[in-house]
Amino acid sequence: MFDEATLAVQAALDAGAAYSDARVVVARQETINVQNQNLTEFDRTETAGVGVRALIGSSWGFASTPHLDHASVRAAGERATEIAKASALVPGSPMEFADVPIEQGSWETPFEENPLDVSQSEKVDLLVGVTATAQEVDGVAIATGNLTFWDTDVWFVSSQGHRLHQHRVESGGGFDATAIGESETQRRSYPQSFGQFETGGYETVRAWDYQGNARRIAEEAVALLTAAEMEERETALVLEGSQLALQIHESVGHAIELDRILGWEAAFAGTSHLDLATLGTHRYGSEIMNITADATLPGALGTFGYDDEGTPAQAVDIVKDGIWVGVLSGRDSAAIAGLPPGGMVRADGFSRLPMVRMTNVGILPGAGSLGDIIADTDDGVYMATNRSWSIDDKRLNFQFGCEIAWEIKNGELGRMLKNPTYTGITPQFWGTLDRIAGPDEWVHWGTPNCGKGQPGQIAHTGHSASPGRFSNVRVGVRA
Amino acid sequence: MTPASDLVADVIAAVGTRAEAEALADVGSTALTRFANSFIHQNVSEDVSTVSLRLALDGRIASATSTVTTPDDVHRLVTSALQLASLQPVDPDWPGVGEAVEQPVVDHWDEATAAADPVARAETVRRFVDAGEGLSAAGYCETAAHSTAYLNTRGRTGSGRYTTATLDGIQQTESSAGSGHASGVALGSIDAGAIGAQASGRAEQSRGAFDAKPGDYEVVLSPECVATMTIFLSFYGFNGKAAEEGLSFVELGERRFDPAIQLWDDATDPRALHLGFDAEGTPKRHLGLIESGVTTHLLHNRRTAAKAGTTSTGHAASGADAFGAFATNLFVGEGAETVEDLVSGVERGIYVSTFNYCRVLDPKSLVVTGLTRNGTFMIENGRITDPVTNLRFTQSFIDAWADGSVLGIGGDARFADSEFGPSLVHAPSMRLASWRFTGGAEG
């Protein structure tokens, strides 16, 4: 496939591009859905094609085709340059392209069991069994299970000499149980909302013990129907790890994307409350807040060898001792900002333009355990597993809903509470972080559905987190 | 490129008599020119050629999708799907593929849009940018032209084509933003200068916004806001799968909404976009969902229809059985009032240009949280006065349209952008009695 990528790049250059790169991507996806013990979907999707970028001055063009014959590939390269010329009709300022190591190499996700080679019956039986166990609990109306696997090959070539091959394997899934009341529904999910996804093979699914958690999750869903509503007040908030991971994703991960900071996403995803002039001095949170973007973490969902501009994966500090010190960037955005390129540009398949995306943006572990944090809390609430999320276009004003909560009184968990929500403003909220649990409860949570861009792209991102505690948070907001 | 009709014919021929099967192919191109800081920064074009196969082997179901469409690839696609199906358990709810039917003539197509090149999109962008007269513009212009074909082993066929064109953007001052949007079949129907001017007007009007106190306010909502409400009501409420599972608020025949509310789905309307049949080859037709405040029909695909003991309404989406039936040609009945008329009746309220990042807290009560964006204004004594900063709301979309709550409907219906994207809902402005804002810029 290097030949096709090279042909596309050469065609773009021949048509007048100053720089070009191309990715040939062959992606296989398997999706399995089970509802109430019935298999409702077993789908395999295979996409293949080439996407070509062409740069003229400060103007980009991108074209893609699913046809890998030489004529179609050349035409895509030429079209990318034609589009770049049209972009120059509404031009931007002159742009540099940050230097990166020009590498020829390959990288592969470490995995034990290729998920596409695991027998179909084993995978279906797992989900049928989990939903059967959940349905044994009186009051469970709907039990669903999902497994999704991706097996992706990418061949990348640039006019500067890059020549890279990657083979990425990603696996995951989960299940949920729903109980339905007179005018409400209550749901519990495991391992987290939308499932848990990681880089690696089927061994990552086995590690989560779906079956061993099915009854508990189902019982909690039913119990929520008769649980007390959370009262609206300000109190200490302890977040379970996967909810803290989503809190990081929404209120840190997107805010530090350099394309948002530069205004490139202003009309859709939005901008950021962060101002580059305050990089290195802006207080993002309390002194125990340490965030990194680490694309090299073994097993995390946002781990790779090279990004889709050919830049090697990196680990960078984002927030250090509560101070904002880093961004997510690519070669063009980094050059404009005068920062080193972070190798954080990725695309959703061959037909999408690479753009700044999160890698593994996570919080470093602190000390102690969730149990220690609860024991150390006189009055508060503990919330687990996301149910809803909403945040404004500057990543400041957020409101999250969780599936379940418990009150905390005198260092112990008390009543179960339903429909828990909390709301806040990003820097004030992170400024109240006063406990973060230690490495024993630090998990590489994966988000398989991060939407961004036009046309829309879905990215797979990682967010390592352990449970944490925040003080004086407004909880219990409802209509 | 191989025509879509040839792709589905090749796939069904390769299946032969070995299984019950249906194939759907999409062939075409989509191009999108994106701008920010008043220049084009992303500009893409995508050739599309996709074929999806779903087959049933003695009630055992599997599906496969591919972008590779050579004869060898088609053979591999079919072999893979047959092999997958052979190892599955029997699906007790498989409704079978549909019998041959007559398809309505639907052709939402514009030749010039199909031929639009990057220069045409760039010139559209330039008109939007220039209308800002120095403000910072951002947004996109997209054109698409696709042909789609359906064929199954019972002889049901469907073929159609469509074009779409969309311009969506904002103009920004140093402290505010305003938005504009248009979408339709033809790029030539979009007045980029007027949309850019509307956005810049809202941005200028939004300078110096203050923080309004959260609470319950009467509101006048733009078509964008009404479109988002509508798509949520459709997806979570009128979806036959949600209703069958007890997750929906809809009780057919119940007067749940204000009598002023009319809602229907109709791909055959000349103003509509996209295709006249769904992913199962079922013809689309006019389907009333709310008539004078009464819920009248649910949306169904073949699977949800069979479970409900009825027939499909033509709302199957490819690969979306897990989500159920989905409407893409929704129309909200419009009134005759101008936005000024709607505002003139409000003693103290808020005008909202767009909603942002809306998420459901509970699907049955349809309580949704989200924010306002790109122009939020106080209404005092019948006129728009000061701009306010973005507000967070937590509001049941059902209650917002409850009997007595709809105080006026505009005559300005158009295809509006929504939380689920553009071109799905044709909606007017609306004046509502109460909306619960639960937070402001300070939390």
Side-chain angles (χ1 to χ4, degrees), chain A residues 67-144:
Chain A
H67 304 295
L68 290 172
D69 61 276
H70 287 190
S72 296
V73 167
R74 278 199 63 86
E78 291 164 358
R79 196 162 76 251
T81 299
E82 177 195 351
I83 292 170
K85 290 174 180 173
S87 298
L89 295 173
V90 189
S93 304
M95 187 196 69
E96 299 286 320
F97 206 38
D99 289 334
V100 297
I102 307 300
E103 295 195 9
Q104 298 83 41
S106 63
W107 185 88
E108 182 177 50
T109 302
F111 64 93
E112 295 173 16
E113 293 177 89
N114 188 320
L116 302 185
D117 292 339
V118 173
S119 79
Q120 295 168 50
S121 58
E122 178 176 349
K123 291 178 281 196
V124 172
D125 288 350
L126 171 65
L127 298 182
V128 170
V130 166
T131 58
T133 301
Q135 284 190 287
E136 288 171 7
V137 176
D138 282 348
V140 169
I142 305 166
T144 69

Side-chain angles (χ1 to χ4, degrees), chain A residues 354-365:
Chain A
M355 61 194 308
V356 174
R357 302 304 304 230
M358 288 176 234
T359 56
N360 300 303
V361 180
I363 189 163
L364 298 182

Side-chain angles (χ1 to χ4, degrees), chain B residues 391-441:
Chain B
L391 289 159
R392 172 169 295 286
F393 63 82
T394 307
Q395 170 68 46
S396 164
F397 283 0
I398 304 167
D399 293 348
W401 278 1
D403 196 356
S405 296
V406 179
L407 304 180
I409 299 180
D412 55 351
R414 58 177 168 78
F415 277 105
D417 200 7
S418 76
E419 186 75 33
F420 284 25
S423 309
L424 299 170
V425 186
H426 193 268
S429 297
M430 205 173 274
R431 176 185 164 198
L432 302 177
S434 182
W435 197 266
R436 180 147 199 249
F437 293 101
T438 51

Side-chain angles (χ1 to χ4, degrees), chain A residues 235-239 244 283-290 321-322 363-370 372-381 408 426-438 466-473:
Chain A
T235 190
L237 171 65
V238 179
L239 292 181
L244 186 51
R283 177 158 289 283
Y284 212 111
S286 71
E287 290 187 351
I288 66 168
M289 181 186 188
N290 287 290
D321 302 328
I363 189 163
L364 298 182
S369 66
L370 172 62
D372 296 337
I373 293 173
I374 290 170
D376 184 41
T377 304
D378 290 336
D379 180 36
V381 291
I408 304 172
T426 293
Q428 287 92 317
F429 176 78
W430 281 105
T432 71
L433 175 69
D434 59 12
R435 289 291 302 266
I436 185 82
S466 49
R469 187 179 69 186
F470 301 81
S471 60
N472 300 319
V473 179

Side-chain angles (χ1 to χ4, degrees), chain A residues 4 52 57 76 152 154 156 195 229-230 251 308 314 393 446:
Chain A
E4 285 77 5
V52 196
T152 308
V154 181
F156 176 81
E229 286 273 0
M230 175 175 288
S251 67
D308 285 332
Q314 300 176 37
D393 55 318

Side-chain angles (χ1 to χ4, degrees), chain A residues 35 42-44 46 48 62 64 87 90 120 180 185 262 264-266 268 352 389-390 397 474 478, chain B residues 34 37 40-41 43 45-47 63-65 67 88 140 241 245 357 359 362 373 392 436 438 440:
Chain A
Q35 179 164 327
F42 199 117
D43 180 81
R44 278 197 180 163
E46 180 170 336
F62 174 85
S64 70
S87 298
V90 189
Q120 295 168 50
I180 301 173
T185 65
L262 293 173
W264 297 357
E265 292 290 320
F268 184 53
R352 291 293 181 266
W389 66 102
S390 174
N397 179 327
R474 184 181 169 203
R478 57 178 177 268
Chain B
R34 205 169 184 217
N37 301 326
I40 293 173
H41 68 310
N43 204 347
S45 172
E46 167 188 11
D47 285 345
S63 61
T65 300
T67 59
Q88 305 309 332
Y140 74 94
K241 182 171 188 286
E245 293 172 345
Y357 221 124
R359 293 293 183 272
D362 178 63
R373 185 178 179 185
R392 172 169 295 286
R436 180 147 199 249
T438 51

